[in-house]
Amino acid sequence: MAEQSYPEPTVGALIFSPQGLLFLMRSHKWHNRYVVPGGHIELGERMEDALRREVKEETGLDVHHLEFVCFQEFIYDDSFWERRHFVFFDFACQAELTEATLNSEAQSYVWVTPAQALELPIDPYTERAIRECLRQRQCVDQGTGTPASTRRRGP
């Protein structure tokens, strides 16, 4: 990959099943840790469109009910297999189907509760996104187990 001149904006998807389980995939690019699917935003592409495209490319899943969770800076961290400077924009979203078809970026996947996810070998950026999602209560409505992105807000 060419040397970077500028930070690369990327999107990440905290994907929830209708049962409130979180999708994580194990990737060699992240030293075989579990991560969320995502990737770069193409020139002229909206973040939400980039998220849908990256999720489809990496997992075969279609996602909807996107809600912004947080952004994170990744500056030459050894967590990734290449020396890169990223700006992550993480979103919570939902998928109706749970059977994924992974591309070459991931070796396996799991559907787990957010609490179970925090017990897995996950990268620190995925951990921060999950914790922020939980803090905002966007991940799961603790009373029903329903992904918060499916709840109606306001009157």
Side-chain angles (χ1 to χ4, degrees), residues 10-78:
T10 63
V11 290
L14 291 100
I15 305 170
F16 290 89
S17 72
Q19 297 76 31
L21 299 178
L22 174 63
F23 177 93
L24 293 174
M25 59 187 206
R26 192 181 285 260
S27 175
H28 68 279
K29 289 184 171 186
W30 295 91
H31 305 296
N32 291 312
R33 294 191 174 275
Y34 284 98
V35 296
V36 297
H40 73 278
I41 302 167
E42 295 179 356
L43 190 63
E45 187 175 39
R46 293 177 58 240
M47 283 191 278
E48 294 87 354
D49 294 334
L51 187 82
R52 287 183 183 96
R53 176 183 51 76
E54 285 288 346
V55 168
K56 187 72 168 180
E57 288 174 4
E58 293 181 10
T59 70
L61 298 171
D62 292 311
V63 294
H64 55 88
H65 289 102
L66 282 60
E67 292 188 32
F68 179 73
V69 174
C70 65
F71 80 90
Q72 302 182 64
E73 293 182 291
F74 179 101
I75 303 172
Y76 306 128
D77 192 316
D78 291 336

Side-chain angles (χ1 to χ4, degrees), residues 57-140:
E57 288 174 4
E58 293 181 10
T59 70
L61 298 171
D62 292 311
V63 294
H64 55 88
H65 289 102
L66 282 60
E67 292 188 32
F68 179 73
V69 174
C70 65
F71 80 90
Q72 302 182 64
E73 293 182 291
F74 179 101
I75 303 172
Y76 306 128
D77 192 316
D78 291 336
S79 298
F80 193 62
W81 69 323
E82 294 180 327
R83 182 174 157 81
R84 306 295 289 174
H85 180 173
F86 297 122
V87 179
F88 298 143
F89 296 92
D90 295 318
F91 291 80
C93 53
Q94 188 171 1
E96 295 304 317
L97 303 177
T98 57
E99 187 66 35
T101 303
L102 301 176
N103 70 5
S104 63
E105 294 185 39
Q107 289 64 63
S108 62
Y109 70 91
V110 294
W111 289 95
V112 294
T113 66
Q116 290 169 327
L118 295 172
E119 299 299 320
L120 293 173
I122 58 178
D123 83 280
Y125 299 90
T126 297
E127 180 179 349
R128 277 190 220 108
I130 293 169
R131 289 190 187 283
E132 181 60 20
C133 190
L134 287 168
R135 187 190 72 73
Q136 295 176 13
R137 297 195 69 220
Q138 283 184 217
C139 285
V140 175

